[in-house]
Amino acid sequence: MHKTQDYYPNCPEAMIVSLARTGDRSAFADLVRRRQSSIRNLMRRCSGDITLAEDLAQQVFIQVWLKIHTLKQASAFSAWLKRLAISVWLQYLRKNDALRDADALAETELAHNDTTSEGMDLDQALAALSNPVRLCIVLAYHEGMSHGEIADLMDMPLGTIKSHIKRGTERLQQCLSAYQDHKEKLQ
Amino acid sequence: MTENQDLLLQTLFAEAQQDLSAEAFTARVMTRTQILRYRVAVGLICVALALAICAWLLALPAQEIAQLIVQGLNTTLLDLGDGWPAWLLAPVNNIASLFVLSLKGILTIRKKIIGASYKI
């Protein structure tokens, strides 16, 4: 396994991105080091599976390595990386045909989860949502994106996104009500 | 920008954010990109070798076919003997010029009929 070293500890990210675009592997390693945490967290929220999330996050950075020369503005790296990560997740869903039956599956899961909602943590609660709903929720709450931005990113109508987020929020509130009660008791 | 977000969910998402250790993950990504680089290099070498072998195998037949085509296109349409008319009309007195002129004529007629512009 490769030993990585922090070559650019105090450099601005735009400069490191520019270096990585020229094929500088040390700069690329530095970008991975700086951004890995947010991408891995995003994938964990999306997939709810740590092993899968690690693999997908690695795939995201491999895509970055392959496509970074196409990035025109180094300052746009952050948004570009986020878009790439979502694209990797959507590709994974399409490859596994998860989007097609997602709604039906989620409804079934919800029926089972209704009785066991106590103690569910966030990832478990997210797992009870259908993939499109979960992705909308993650983008809204984890990434702080607006509904319009999510609609653009997912190429879906704004109304659908709003409906997904509303439905997902209600579902999560329901699943996490026990957690909320517990927290209130602690306070 | 976020719209009408639930405060509990906001808090939970913020709390769920972990600062994950970078070293092992970065090393794995770098190893995978290194493997990818080797694979691409090996792929390119294989393609180059395959092209070189194809060129070596097909060079002679391709040259013969090219010669036959050139000979065919150079075939004179009318036998004008060895005098100056034959020399003067040589550029147009062959199958190749017949092809070019026919094509040009067809395109001109088509352009007039359809009203579109074509380039040859």
Side-chain angles (χ1 to χ4, degrees), chain B residues 34-82:
Chain B
Q34 189 66 40
I35 291 167
L36 201 67
R37 282 176 76 188
Y38 286 138
R39 280 187 188 161
V40 169
V42 168
L44 286 174
I45 290 167
C46 289
V47 169
L49 274 174
L51 285 174
I53 291 167
C54 284
W56 181 65
L57 288 173
L58 298 174
L60 201 61
Q63 200 178 353
E64 281 172 4
I65 289 167
Q67 275 178 350
L68 283 173
I69 291 169
V70 169
Q71 278 174 8
L73 290 173
N74 268 330
T75 308
T76 51
L77 295 169
L78 299 166
D79 189 8
L80 299 171
D82 295 330

Side-chain angles (χ1 to χ4, degrees), chain A residues 9-41:
Chain A
N10 300 315
C11 276
E13 190 173 76
M15 190 183 284
I16 299 171
V17 171
S18 301
L19 286 169
R21 275 160 66 189
T22 65
D24 185 331
R25 281 178 61 77
S26 312
F28 174 70
D30 209 73
L31 278 181
V32 177
R33 199 174 294 109
R34 287 178 182 214
R35 293 294 186 151
Q36 52 86 28
S37 204
S38 71
I39 297 298
R40 288 162 80 190
N41 274 309

Side-chain angles (χ1 to χ4, degrees), chain A residues 2 4 25 36-37 40-41 44-45 55 58 62 66 140-142 144-147 173 176 179 183, chain B residues 1 3 5-6 12-13 15-18 20-23 25 27-28 30-34 36-37:
Chain A
H2 274 251
T4 60
R25 281 178 61 77
Q36 52 86 28
S37 204
R40 288 162 80 190
N41 274 309
R44 282 182 186 197
R45 295 294 92 76
D55 189 48
Q58 284 179 34
I62 287 165
L66 293 172
Y141 285 97
H142 185 272
M145 291 170 76
S146 71
H147 295 177
Q173 282 169 341
L176 296 162
Y179 182 90
K183 206 172 177 183
Chain B
M1 195 195 112
E3 296 111 325
Q5 288 207 340
D6 181 83
L12 284 175
F13 269 95
E15 282 173 1
Q17 278 276 65
Q18 291 171 22
L20 300 163
S21 164
E23 206 50 47
F25 180 84
R28 276 196 294 274
M30 296 313 289
T31 307
R32 282 180 75 171
T33 54
Q34 189 66 40
L36 201 67
R37 282 176 76 188

